[in-house]
Amino acid sequence: GGRDQLVSGRNCILVPNGDYVTLAYHLAKYLGDILESRTADWEFMLTAARETAEAFTAEAETQTLLEFWRGIR
């Protein structure tokens, strides 16, 4: 599911697992823009990230798991 929901640059920042240097470069740009009050370029991604995350409620997760386990029987 993650590959279907998360799109780097659209609603998140994805880097390879364990690649902390690349993550640091992405976060440095973002944090620098925040400190300089230049968040307009990030608003689209932040909005899309919030919209993506809204679907992942505890209730939705419970329902998904129940449906999965019912299908096993």
Side-chain angles (χ1 to χ4, degrees):
R3 291 179 191 259
D4 297 330
Q5 300 296 323
L6 302 176
V7 179
S8 192
R10 187 184 73 179
N11 60 6
C12 66
I13 297 171
L14 293 176
V15 299
N17 286 339
D19 188 350
Y20 304 112
V21 173
T22 299
L23 178 61
Y25 280 117
H26 283 288
L27 292 179
K29 166 87 172 97
Y30 177 62
L31 294 173
D33 285 349
I34 288 173
L35 291 172
E36 297 294 324
S37 298
R38 294 186 311 251
T39 58
D41 290 346
W42 296 94
E43 288 302 319
F44 74 95
M45 187 167 61
L46 295 172
T47 299
R50 287 184 195 104
E51 290 171 357
T52 300
E54 285 175 357
F56 297 99
T57 64
E59 293 81 15
E61 185 66 16
T62 299
Q63 188 61 37
T64 299
L65 287 171
L66 289 172
E67 290 172 11
F68 170 80
W69 288 112
R70 285 184 187 125
I72 297 293
R73 296 194 263 180

